[in-house]
Amino acid sequence: MYLRKRWRNCCQSLTNSGRPRIPQFLPSLAQSALEKNLADAAIEINADSSLEPELENYKCEVVAGSLKIGTVSAPVHNAHEKMKVPDVLFYDNVQHMVVMEDMLKDFVLGEHLLLVGNQGVGKNKIVDRFLHLLNRPREYIQLHRDTTVQSLTLQPSVKDGLIVYEDSPLVKAVKLGHILVVDEADKAPTNVTCILKTLVENGEMILADGRRIVADAASVDGRENAIVVHPDFRMVVLANRPGFPFLGNDFFGTLGDIFSCHAIDNPKPHSELEMLKQYGPNVPVPVLEKLVAAFGELRNLADQGIINYPYSTREVVNIVKHLEKFPTEGLSSVVRNVFDFDSYNNDMREILMNTLHKYGIPIGAKPTNVQLAKEFPLPEKTFMGYWIIGQTGNGMQKVLCPAETHRIDIKGPVLVNIEKYPIEKHESRFLNFTEECTSWRFPVDEVNLISDIAVSHENGEHTLYVATCNPISLYFMNMTGENGFFVDFFDIFPRMASGSWRPFVTVAPLGSPLRGQVVLHEEQSNVVLLLDTTGRAIHRLVLPTEESTSKKSSWWNKEEGETYRMCKEFSHKNWVVFYRQTGNSLTVLDVLEGLTHTISLPINLRTVFLVAEDKWLLVENKTNQKCLLTKPAHIGAEDTGACQLYMLKEELPSTGFGVTQETEFYVPHKVSSDQLSSENLTSAVGQKIASPNRILSDEKSHATIVVGFPDLMSPCEVYSWKRSSSLGKPSVTNITMYTGKRTSVTPRHNNCVTLTHTNQVVRILPAGEVPLKDIYPKDVTPPQTAGYIEVTDLQAKKLRYIPVPSAESLSPYTAWLSAISDTDALLAEWDKSSVVTVDMGGCVRLWETGLERLQQSLMEWRNMIGQDSDKHMQITIERDSNEDVSEPKHGKEDPDNMPHVGGNTWAGGTGGRDTAGLGGKGGPYRLDAGHPVYQVSEVEKDAVPEDIKRAAREMAQRAFQQRLKEIQMSEYDAATYERFSRAVQRQVHALRVILDNLQAKGKERQWLRHQATGELDDAKIIDGLAGEKAIYKRRGDLEPQLGSPQQKPKRLRLVVDVSGSMYRFNGVDRRLERSMEAVCMVMEAFENYEEKFKYDIAGHSGDGYNIKLVPVNKIPKNNKQRLEILKTMHAHSQFCMSGDHTLEGTEHAIKDITTEEADEYFVIILSDANLSRYGINPARFAQILTSNPQVNAFAIFIGSLGDQAARLQRTLPAGRSFIAMDTKKIPQILQQIFTSTMLSSI
C-alpha cells in the first residue's frame, strides 16, 4: 500500500506539472499506452502544455563560492583547467531556470543526467550554462551512426607520421574528474551506447587496450593499468526524442533508468519572448511576438506530422540576432532565408506561407502593396445657427423634475457555466496594407443573431462583449488573448420556436471595482441581469419600472412598439440609465451603490443621450424637441432633490435672438459624451476656439459640432458638414402573429461612433447609401459586403468608405435581422483611433481609422518587408506588340522548345497573340513552357475586342471538356470528386510528409561486422593488433540503420466498413462520408509512392468479409477511377444485406497480407463502433488484432453512437485502436502507426 501511494505521488508530480514531461517524448503509441494506464489508476494527467512556470522572479546567483538556483544551492568548483570550463552567451529565462534547478538537485545527489528534447531547443546551451555556473571543466564527445565502441574509448591521431591512440574524452573525464557531455546519443547504435551502462551503474568499464576503469581505489586489487574513477566525474547525456521526425534510437527507453532524466522543450511563449528581447533589444516587440506565435504553430504542425521539421528556438534566435545586426533588411526576407529549402515543395510552401501570413509576417508582399480606401473631399462646413438652452423672452426657463430613490431588488445569485474555447486570429496585412488589422471568429450558430457589442477599457486591456438573441447568449474575450468565453442564457430566456416575441439584448460592461461584471438588458421584457464573469454567477436586478409593467403585460402581449432602452455611455463608472420609449421617466441604476433613482419628466421620450455625467440630452417623442436635463448635484441648494429640465431651442443663423422661426428637428444618431480637444476643435471649424463642445451625427449630416454645449448657457454655435442627400430610413414591415397588424420597425442600431481623439465620426452604411460608382472603376463590379465603414475625418477634411467583407453565414430570420441593423455588421469603438466590427456570422475585425496610427503601422509594415523585397523572382519584360488579334488557337508545338516572343504561331510563347502561352493577349488559355515572360501591357490586353475574348473563353471551355472526356469524367463527376478531394487536401499533404520520412524495417542477410566470433575481418587486422576484440565477421540478419532507405516496399491493407450501418447512420455523424474521405485521402497520398508502399483496399459488410475495392495490382491512376471506388463504397453500403464481418475481414486481411514478401506489414481497420449490435466480443477482436506479431494491425473507429467508440477502445490493447470523428485526425493516427514499429525488434 505504501509503495502504491509513493508511485501515485510520483506519477502525479510527473503528469500535473506545467514543466516539460518525459512521456511527451515517447513514441506516440507508447505515450498513449502510458496515459491509458495512468487514467486506469485514477492518476490525473494535465494536458495543458501552455502553462508558464508559477515563479516569476526565478533567479540564479553565485554568492560566497556557492551557486543558488531557485531554492537549491551547491558549492562552486575550483577548476584547475579553466580553459575547459564552457563560457557561452546565455540569457536567463524562467523555464530554463526551472530545468537547471532540477538538474542541480540531481547533481548534488551525485546523479548522472540525461536531457531529452527536440533539435534546437537549447540542450547544449543549458548544459554549458549549468557547467559555467558550477565552474566545472567539460569534456565533449559527439556520437553518430558510425560511432564504434573503440572510437568511444580511444581517439586516433597522427604524430610524427605514426598513428597514435590517445584517451578519448570519456577516459579523460573519468581520470581528471571532468564532466563528460555526450551529445547526439540517440544517433549511435544501441550496442555502442550500452557500454555506458556499466560505467554509470558500477563505475567499471574495460577499454579496448586492456585497461580497466574501476569505481574506487579499493577495487584496484593489484591490477595493472587500472583507472580509478575520479569522485568529481559526472556524465551529462543529450539525446533527441525517439521516432519521427529525428529517427534516432530510443536511448531513453534503453538506458533512461540509470540516468536522472530531464525533458527539454521549446520555451513557452512568454519565456521565449523575454529571451528574444535580450537577443534583440532593438527589434520591435510586435515583431518578436509575431515570430513567437508563428513558430509556436509550426511546432504544433510538426508534432501533428503535417510538416517535417520542428522549427525550434534555435531558428528564432538566429532570426532575431540577424534583425538586431541588420535592422534594415526586413523580417520577411530574413524569415524567407530560414524556409527557402522547404519552399521547393509546393505543398510545404503553402502551409508555411499560410502560417506566416496568419501572424502577419508579410512574406511575398511589396512595399507598394498599399490598398487604403479611396479618399473623397468632405463637403464644406455650414454654419447652422445656434442652440439656445432654456431662454425665453422672460429670461431663463426651467422645469423641476422630482427624483425618487429606491434600493435595488436583487434576485440570485445563480451559478452559470462559462465555456472556454480557443480563438484563432488571423493578421490581415500579410500581403497588402489595409485599414483592417486582425480578424477572428466567434462560434455563432447559423440561426443566431448578433444584437449588440461593447468594448471595456481597463488598465490598457480591451475586452470585447458580443450579445446574441436567438438564443440569448454572451460571447466575450480579452482582445489580446487567445481564448474566448461563452455563456448561454437559455434557461432564463427560452428560445421561441414560434410567436412574435423577438428578444433584443444589449450589454454594458462595468468598470473598477466591478471589473469583469456586465449588465445585460432585454428591451422587450425589460429584464436586467448582472453577470459576474469572474465569479461565474448571475443576478437579476428588478427595477421599479419593471415591477409596474410586469403586472399589466407579458412578453407576448405587450402593447405594440413598447420597448425599453439602456444608455451605457458611462457604464465604466458603474451606472446606466433605462427608459421606455414614449414613456415619461428615467431610471438611473447605480450598480455599485445598489440604488435606483427614478426621475419623472413632463415629456414623452423618444431617445436619450448622456452627453456628460451630469447633463443629458433628451428628445421628445412626437415633435423631436430637444431638452437638456441636469442632475441635482449641479443645481442650486434651494432646488436640491429635483433635476432641472431646460428646453433647447434650435435657431437659424438668419434670425436674431428671441425670434421664433419654425425649423425641422432631426434626431441625432450619436452624440459624443466627451469633447474635442482645443487643437482638434480649431482644426475642424477653421478658427481658434477653446470651448466646451460635442460632436454628433444625424441623417442629414456627416458630422455636426455644437460649440459651447452642454456646459455654457449662452447660445451655442452649430457647425455642420451636410450630406448631399439624407440617409434613408430603412424599416421592416412585419405582420404580427396575434393581431395581424402591419408594424414598421426601425433598426435599433445606428452603428455610429465618435473618435474625438482622431477628430473622426465613424459609422457603417449599407451599400445603397455609398457612392459605389465613385469608389470602384466602371468595369469593376462592387463586391458583396456586410456594409461600408464611412470615416468622416474633420482633421483632413476627407471621407473614406472601407468595405466590410460579407458574413460567411446569415441567419434565415431576415426580418428579425433587419430590425437589428440595416447592415450585416455592428460597430463599436476599439480604442482612441480604431474601431471593431462584428458581422452577423460572428467574424470580428479590427480596423485602424486614425491617420497617425495608419502612418505608424504602415512604416512598421514596410520595415518588416525590408528594402530588398521588390526583387522579382521571374523575368518579366513589358512590351507593346502593335499587332491586332484575330482568332484564338492553340498554336504549333515546337519540338525543340525554343523561346518564342511575339507572333501568333507557337504554343507556349510569351508576349504574343492568339496562341496559348503566357503574357500575351487573345489566347485561349495559359501554357507555360518554362521561358522568361514578356508581358504585354494591361492597356493592350484591355483593348482586345469582346468577341475575341468570348471565343477564347469558349475554346478554353472546350479544352477542359476534352480533358474530362479523356478520363471519361463528366462535369458533374468532376464536381463530385472535388468535394471529397478538397476536404482532405491538407491531410493528403500531411500523409505525404510522413511517407517521405519512412525508413527501412526489414532485415537483410548480410555480413555482420564488429563481431566477437566468426571469420577474421581483413579490414580489422590493425585494430586487432591494437587490442580490439570485435574483429570478426559472420553472415546474419542485419538490422537496417535508422533512417536508411527501404529495399522492399511496405504492405498496407485498408479494411473499410461498407455495411448497412454506415449508410444508416451517416446522417447522424457523417461516418460513411468520413470513410469515403479517408479512402480518397489514402488513394491520393499514396500515388507515386509505389516503391515505398504497396496498398490495397478491401471492404466488409453483411454480404461478405473480403469485398475487393482496390486490388493491389490495379491502383487507381486518375480522379475518375478514384471516384468510381468512392461511388462503389456508397452504393454497396446502401444496398448490401444487414450484418457485420469485421472479425472475419480483419482475420483474413492479417493472414493474406503476409503471402507477399515486404519490408513491413500493416493492416488498418476503418470501421464504426457498432460491434455490440451484432454480438461481437471485443476480446475476440483484440485477439485477432494481435494474432500475428509480423503484422501491425490497428483499428480506427470513425463512427459512434454516444460513447460506443470510447467504451470499445478501453477494452482493446493500448495503442491498437483510435477514434477519429474528424478526417483531419487520420494522418496523425497513421503517423503514429507507421512510426510505432521503428523500435520493435520483430
Side-chain angles (χ1 to χ4, degrees):
M1 187 68 185
Y2 172 76
L3 291 176
R4 179 179 177 85
K5 181 177 180 181
R6 287 297 303 272
W7 162 245
R8 177 170 296 185
N9 290 339
C10 291
C11 288
Q12 286 177 340
S13 65
L14 177 67
T15 58
N16 289 339
S17 171
R19 306 169 184 178
R21 301 175 288 115
I22 287 292
Q24 78 185 67
F25 296 131
L26 291 174
S28 299
L29 292 185
Q31 182 178 347
S32 62
L34 172 63
E35 290 175 350
K36 179 181 179 182
N37 291 333
L38 292 175
D40 292 341
I43 298 174
E44 182 182 357
I45 301 175
N46 182 6
D48 188 358
S49 61
S50 63
L51 296 175
E52 297 283 352
E54 296 178 1
L55 300 178
E56 297 179 359
N57 299 320
Y58 222 90
K59 299 179 180 177
C60 68
E61 52 187 357
V62 178
V63 179
S66 177
L67 168 65
K68 183 177 181 181
I69 304 178
T71 59
V72 183
S73 299
V76 175
H77 186 71
N78 184 17
H80 297 291
E81 294 190 53
K82 296 188 180 296
M83 292 294 294
K84 290 194 173 184
V85 176
D87 187 6
V88 64
L89 176 64
F90 189 91
Y91 293 114
D92 293 339
N93 65 79
V94 178
Q95 188 169 323
H96 288 166
M97 287 297 100
V98 172
V99 172
M100 286 196 287
E101 183 197 27
D102 291 340
M103 292 170 58
L104 188 60
K105 291 177 185 176
D106 296 327
F107 195 86
V108 171
L109 294 174
E111 298 284 343
H112 299 275
L113 307 179
L114 169 62
L115 274 60
V116 182
N118 290 344
Q119 290 180 359
V121 297
K123 298 187 294 293
N124 280 289
K125 283 266 189 180
I126 292 173
V127 170
D128 289 348
R129 173 66 171 170
F130 183 71
L131 298 181
H132 174 75
L133 293 171
L134 287 171
N135 200 33
R136 299 296 298 263
R138 179 196 67 175
E139 299 288 346
Y140 179 85
I141 185 171
Q142 186 180 58
L143 307 186
H144 47 81
R145 299 191 189 280
D146 296 325
T147 300
T148 63
V149 175
Q150 177 179 340
S151 64
L152 196 60
T153 57
L154 291 176
Q155 182 173 309
S157 61
V158 179
K159 289 186 176 180
D160 299 330
L162 300 175
I163 298 177
V164 179
Y165 285 87
E166 298 178 341
D167 288 337
S168 70
L170 185 151
V171 178
K172 293 178 181 177
V174 169
K175 281 183 178 180
L176 304 175
H178 294 175
I179 308 299
L180 176 65
V181 176
V182 182
D183 197 7
E184 304 287 359
D186 60 299
K187 297 298 186 291
T190 306
N191 65 296
V192 174
T193 54
C194 278
I195 71 165
L196 301 175
K197 186 177 179 67
T198 56
L199 178 62
V200 174
E201 284 188 320
N202 306 321
E204 295 187 358
M205 177 188 289
I206 299 177
L207 304 182
D209 59 0
R211 291 181 296 171
R212 178 187 295 269
I213 296 175
V214 296
D216 49 50
S219 303
V220 174
D221 195 23
R223 295 189 183 113
E224 296 182 359
N225 297 329
I227 302 174
V228 179
V229 176
H230 195 284
D232 291 335
F233 168 71
R234 295 293 166 74
M235 191 184 303
V236 180
V237 180
L238 313 180
N240 293 316
R241 64 184 299 174
F244 183 87
F246 303 111
L247 305 178
N249 65 54
D250 189 7
F251 186 90
F252 169 68
T254 307
L255 299 175
D257 58 330
I258 63 175
F259 290 92
S260 174
C261 302
H262 300 270
I264 310 297
D265 204 354
N266 289 292
K268 301 296 187 295
H270 176 72
S271 295
E272 188 170 37
L273 180 61
E274 293 301 316
M275 180 178 67
L276 293 180
K277 287 180 181 177
Q278 298 178 80
Y279 277 105
N282 297 315
V283 179
V285 174
V287 171
L288 300 179
E289 291 173 342
K290 292 177 189 295
L291 287 171
V292 170
F295 275 79
E297 176 151 334
L298 289 175
R299 293 163 195 156
N300 291 334
L301 294 177
D303 289 339
Q304 298 170 21
I306 295 177
I307 63 175
N308 187 10
Y309 183 75
Y311 297 96
S312 63
T313 302
R314 177 190 299 160
E315 283 80 24
V316 189
V317 167
N318 289 336
I319 289 173
V320 173
K321 289 164 69 175
H322 191 106
L323 291 174
E324 178 71 14
K325 185 72 173 178
F326 305 100
T328 61
E329 188 163 343
L331 175 62
S332 61
S333 59
V334 178
V335 170
R336 194 166 56 241
N337 292 338
V338 174
F339 299 112
D340 269 348
F341 182 78
D342 292 315
S343 65
Y344 288 99
N345 184 317
N346 290 332
D347 293 333
M348 178 74 73
R349 175 184 173 85
E350 181 181 358
I351 292 176
L352 293 175
M353 294 283 281
N354 289 341
T355 303
L356 296 174
H357 286 169
K358 176 181 175 181
Y359 294 100
I361 299 177
I363 297 245
K366 299 178 182 178
T368 55
N369 291 358
V370 179
Q371 296 183 359
L372 296 175
K374 185 178 180 180
E375 291 185 336
F376 299 91
L378 185 66
E380 293 293 328
K381 78 173 187 299
T382 303
F383 176 59
M384 302 297 296
Y386 304 91
W387 280 11
I388 303 173
I389 301 174
Q391 291 186 7
T392 64
N394 299 324
M396 189 69 65
Q397 182 180 1
K398 61 185 177 183
V399 179
L400 298 181
C401 303
E404 298 179 3
T405 300
H406 303 276
R407 298 293 304 178
I408 303 175
D409 184 8
I410 303 176
K411 296 183 179 181
V414 175
L415 297 180
V416 294
N417 179 38
I418 299 181
E419 299 180 18
K420 178 181 177 181
Y421 56 89
I423 288 292
E424 186 171 328
K425 293 185 178 180
H426 292 267
E427 295 284 339
S428 305
R429 295 167 173 168
F430 53 87
L431 284 180
N432 302 299
F433 184 86
T434 64
E435 288 87 352
E436 184 181 351
C437 309
T438 314
S439 66
W440 65 88
R441 192 176 185 277
F442 284 123
V444 177
D445 293 337
E446 289 184 359
V447 297
N448 218 333
L449 300 102
I450 309 294
S451 62
D452 192 30
I453 63 175
V455 179
S456 69
H457 312 275
E458 194 81 25
N459 299 329
E461 293 186 355
H462 308 293
T463 304
L464 173 66
Y465 296 89
V466 178
T468 63
C469 57
N470 186 37
I472 293 178
S473 52
L474 179 71
Y475 298 85
F476 63 95
M477 68 167 294
N478 185 319
M479 296 175 76
T480 58
E482 298 178 351
N483 295 299
F485 301 89
F486 168 72
V487 187
D488 190 357
F489 297 106
F490 180 82
D491 294 337
I492 301 172
F493 300 100
R495 182 197 296 241
M496 299 295 289
S498 62
S500 62
W501 183 59
R502 292 173 176 168
F504 184 86
V505 180
T506 55
V507 57
L510 303 179
S512 180
L514 302 181
R515 183 182 179 188
Q517 300 189 32
V518 293
V519 174
L520 295 162
H521 178 233
E522 201 291 303
E523 292 194 347
Q524 293 194 47
S525 62
N526 201 28
V527 171
V528 180
L529 303 177
L530 178 64
L531 173 65
D532 184 354
T533 60
T534 304
R536 297 174 178 261
I538 192 169
H539 298 78
R540 180 171 177 179
L541 310 180
V542 182
L543 305 181
T545 55
E546 183 181 348
E547 292 176 348
S548 61
T549 57
S550 60
K551 297 176 182 178
K552 299 185 297 182
S553 58
S554 60
W555 287 341
W556 53 85
N557 63 7
K558 282 185 176 292
E559 297 178 5
E560 182 180 333
E562 182 178 322
T563 57
Y564 296 81
R565 296 295 175 91
M566 175 174 66
C567 302
K568 54 184 180 179
E569 287 91 334
F570 292 96
S571 63
H572 61 284
K573 300 283 188 178
N574 299 317
W575 60 270
V576 291
V577 176
F578 298 92
Y579 67 95
R580 179 169 62 88
Q581 282 190 309
T582 73
N584 56 5
S585 66
L586 293 169
T587 301
V588 183
L589 172 62
D590 190 330
V591 183
L592 189 59
E593 298 295 334
L595 299 174
T596 62
H597 310 281
T598 303
I599 305 170
S600 299
L601 302 170
I603 61 172
N604 293 327
L605 294 171
R606 176 168 182 173
T607 187
V608 176
F609 299 98
L610 308 184
V611 296
E613 286 192 64
D614 56 343
K615 294 182 177 64
W616 305 341
L617 180 66
L618 314 181
V619 180
E620 201 272 335
N621 182 45
K622 293 184 178 180
T623 63
N624 293 342
Q625 170 68 49
K626 299 180 180 65
C627 305
L628 184 66
L629 181 73
T630 61
K631 288 170 62 177
H634 299 272
I635 60 177
E638 69 277 3
D639 297 325
T640 301
C643 298
Q644 291 183 353
L645 184 68
Y646 299 91
M647 292 300 174
L648 192 152
K649 182 180 178 183
E650 300 182 50
E651 188 172 279
L652 296 177
S654 59
T655 62
F657 297 148
V659 178
T660 303
Q661 178 176 341
E662 290 190 6
T663 182
E664 186 178 359
F665 296 136
Y666 296 102
V667 180
H669 292 167
K670 174 70 176 179
V671 183
S672 64
S673 56
D674 54 355
Q675 65 184 29
L676 297 173
S677 65
S678 298
E679 294 79 5
N680 285 348
L681 179 61
T682 299
S683 174
V685 300
Q687 49 186 305
K688 190 170 181 63
I689 302 178
S691 173
N693 62 83
R694 289 296 183 269
I695 183 171
L696 60 91
S697 181
D698 57 34
E699 64 193 60
K700 288 286 188 179
S701 66
H702 294 286
T704 298
I705 294 179
V706 185
V707 180
F709 181 81
D711 298 326
L712 303 183
M713 289 300 181
S714 58
C716 303
E717 297 178 349
V718 181
Y719 298 92
S720 182
W721 288 262
K722 287 189 171 185
R723 296 182 178 274
S724 57
S725 60
S726 298
L727 295 178
K729 297 182 179 179
S731 62
V732 178
T733 302
N734 184 35
I735 301 177
T736 60
M737 181 176 181
Y738 296 102
T739 64
K741 297 179 181 179
R742 290 184 176 271
T743 61
S744 181
V745 181
T746 301
R748 286 175 166 85
H749 280 291
N750 291 312
N751 281 323
C752 183
V753 299
T754 55
L755 302 178
T756 55
H757 181 76
T758 58
N759 224 354
Q760 292 177 336
V761 177
V762 183
R763 65 190 310 157
I764 298 185
L765 297 176
E769 305 286 358
V770 172
L772 297 178
K773 294 182 179 179
D774 298 328
I775 297 175
Y776 298 101
K778 293 181 179 180
D779 55 344
V780 175
T781 302
Q784 292 291 328
T785 63
Y788 285 81
I789 299 177
E790 179 191 65
V791 181
T792 303
D793 195 322
L794 301 180
Q795 190 87 16
K797 303 298 188 298
K798 298 291 184 181
L799 283 173
R800 284 179 284 148
Y801 296 95
I802 308 168
V804 180
S806 57
E808 292 183 5
S809 62
L810 285 177
S811 173
Y813 300 102
T814 54
W816 193 352
L817 194 67
S818 301
I820 295 173
S821 171
D822 57 358
T823 62
D824 294 335
L826 301 185
L827 177 75
E829 181 182 346
W830 168 25
D831 62 13
K832 293 181 179 180
S833 58
S834 309
V835 295
V836 56
T837 61
V838 183
D839 66 34
M840 291 301 170
C843 184
V844 182
R845 301 179 191 274
L846 303 184
W847 309 82
E848 292 179 343
T849 61
L851 291 181
E852 289 186 9
R853 172 74 71 84
L854 283 172
Q855 290 173 354
Q856 179 183 354
S857 298
L858 178 59
M859 182 180 67
E860 294 172 354
W861 182 78
R862 283 177 167 163
N863 287 339
M864 280 197 295
I865 297 175
Q867 299 175 354
D868 299 329
S869 297
D870 254 336
K871 295 178 180 178
H872 294 286
M873 300 303 294
Q874 185 183 41
I875 301 174
T876 301
I877 305 170
E878 188 168 301
R879 62 189 291 274
D880 291 332
S881 64
N882 297 318
E883 298 286 348
D884 293 330
V885 295
S886 56
E887 184 180 4
K889 57 187 177 183
H890 177 77
K892 295 170 60 177
E893 296 286 347
D894 186 351
D896 299 326
N897 193 26
M898 298 296 291
H900 299 280
V901 181
N904 65 347
T905 303
W906 300 101
T910 69
R913 55 194 172 93
D914 299 340
T915 57
L918 292 178
K921 62 179 181 178
Y925 40 82
R926 288 167 293 278
L927 182 62
D928 188 357
H931 302 300
V933 178
Y934 288 77
Q935 179 75 52
V936 302
S937 66
E938 290 296 322
V939 175
E940 191 170 354
K941 291 174 67 176
D942 292 340
V944 176
E946 281 299 322
D947 59 328
I948 301 298
K949 290 182 179 179
R950 191 181 313 111
R953 284 193 296 268
E954 292 173 355
M955 184 173 177
Q957 189 64 28
R958 288 195 300 271
F960 177 63
Q961 298 292 340
Q962 179 62 29
R963 176 59 183 150
L964 291 178
K965 186 177 180 180
E966 289 174 3
I967 59 174
Q968 298 177 354
M969 203 172 188
S970 68
E971 289 183 82
Y972 173 78
D973 288 339
T976 303
Y977 183 78
E978 182 65 19
R979 180 165 64 89
F980 289 98
S981 180
R982 190 188 312 114
V984 295
Q985 279 307 300
R986 189 162 186 173
Q987 288 72 36
V988 168
H989 168 71
L991 195 49
R992 284 177 173 270
V993 171
I994 297 166
L995 296 176
D996 282 331
N997 290 276
L998 285 177
Q999 55 185 321
K1001 175 65 179 176
K1003 301 176 182 179
E1004 298 285 342
R1005 292 285 295 178
Q1006 296 183 13
W1007 283 106
L1008 307 183
R1009 304 180 63 218
H1010 312 297
Q1011 303 296 307
T1013 60
E1015 299 181 22
L1016 181 65
D1017 187 350
D1018 296 340
K1020 302 281 288 182
I1021 294 177
I1022 297 178
D1023 298 288
L1025 296 176
E1028 173 66 53
K1029 304 298 183 184
I1031 59 174
Y1032 301 94
K1033 63 180 181 179
R1034 60 184 177 84
R1035 294 287 289 177
D1037 290 333
L1038 178 66
E1039 293 281 356
Q1041 287 191 349
L1042 293 167
S1044 61
Q1046 295 174 211
Q1047 301 299 319
K1048 293 176 290 187
K1050 301 177 188 291
R1051 277 288 280 117
L1052 167 68
R1053 173 164 295 179
L1054 185 65
V1055 182
V1056 298
D1057 188 350
V1058 289
S1059 62
S1061 62
M1062 297 292 288
Y1063 187 89
R1064 163 64 181 82
F1065 296 109
N1066 185 57
V1068 177
D1069 56 11
R1070 292 185 61 250
R1071 60 181 65 181
L1072 180 57
E1073 289 183 32
R1074 198 155 48 248
S1075 179
M1076 295 166 68
E1077 288 175 355
V1079 170
C1080 177
M1081 175 185 68
V1082 169
M1083 291 188 295
E1084 288 196 4
F1086 282 75
E1087 187 177 14
N1088 299 324
Y1089 281 89
E1090 291 80 5
E1091 76 284 354
K1092 284 196 171 187
F1093 250 107
K1094 292 179 67 175
Y1095 78 93
D1096 62 341
I1097 302 176
H1100 68 83
S1101 69
D1103 288 352
Y1105 61 84
N1106 187 29
I1107 301 163
K1108 294 290 186 181
L1109 295 175
V1110 180
V1112 69
N1113 57 352
K1114 196 176 179 182
I1115 302 300
K1117 298 298 184 183
N1118 56 44
N1119 292 349
K1120 178 184 182 301
Q1121 294 176 2
R1122 286 189 277 265
L1123 180 61
E1124 287 178 356
I1125 293 164
L1126 300 182
K1127 286 182 175 181
T1128 302
M1129 290 177 59
H1130 187 275
H1132 186 96
S1133 180
Q1134 181 177 4
F1135 299 108
C1136 70
M1137 298 295 293
S1138 177
D1140 189 279
H1141 284 92
T1142 302
L1143 298 186
E1144 294 83 351
T1146 305
E1147 190 171 17
H1148 176 268
I1150 292 175
K1151 290 180 180 178
D1152 185 63
I1153 197 173
T1154 55
T1155 58
E1156 182 179 353
E1157 190 176 1
D1159 185 75
E1160 270 185 292
Y1161 301 99
F1162 294 94
V1163 171
I1164 298 175
I1165 315 299
L1166 211 61
S1167 175
D1168 61 15
N1170 202 21
L1171 302 185
S1172 59
R1173 180 179 179 182
Y1174 302 101
I1176 297 176
N1177 188 348
R1180 174 62 180 150
F1181 189 36
Q1183 181 182 359
I1184 293 176
L1185 288 176
T1186 56
S1187 59
N1188 188 342
Q1190 279 189 298
V1191 180
N1192 306 287
F1194 303 88
I1196 303 177
F1197 299 118
I1198 60 172
S1200 174
L1201 295 179
D1203 61 346
Q1204 269 184 343
R1207 286 188 281 109
L1208 180 58
Q1209 187 183 34
R1210 286 194 291 269
T1211 64
L1212 297 177
R1216 288 284 183 170
S1217 61
F1218 304 87
I1219 299 175
M1221 301 307 290
D1222 192 334
T1223 313
K1224 68 182 181 181
K1225 294 182 179 179
I1226 294 180
Q1228 291 92 298
I1229 294 173
L1230 294 180
Q1231 174 198 327
Q1232 296 178 40
I1233 290 173
F1234 293 150
T1235 59
S1236 64
T1237 61
M1238 183 190 67
L1239 304 175
S1240 65
S1241 58
I1242 296 174

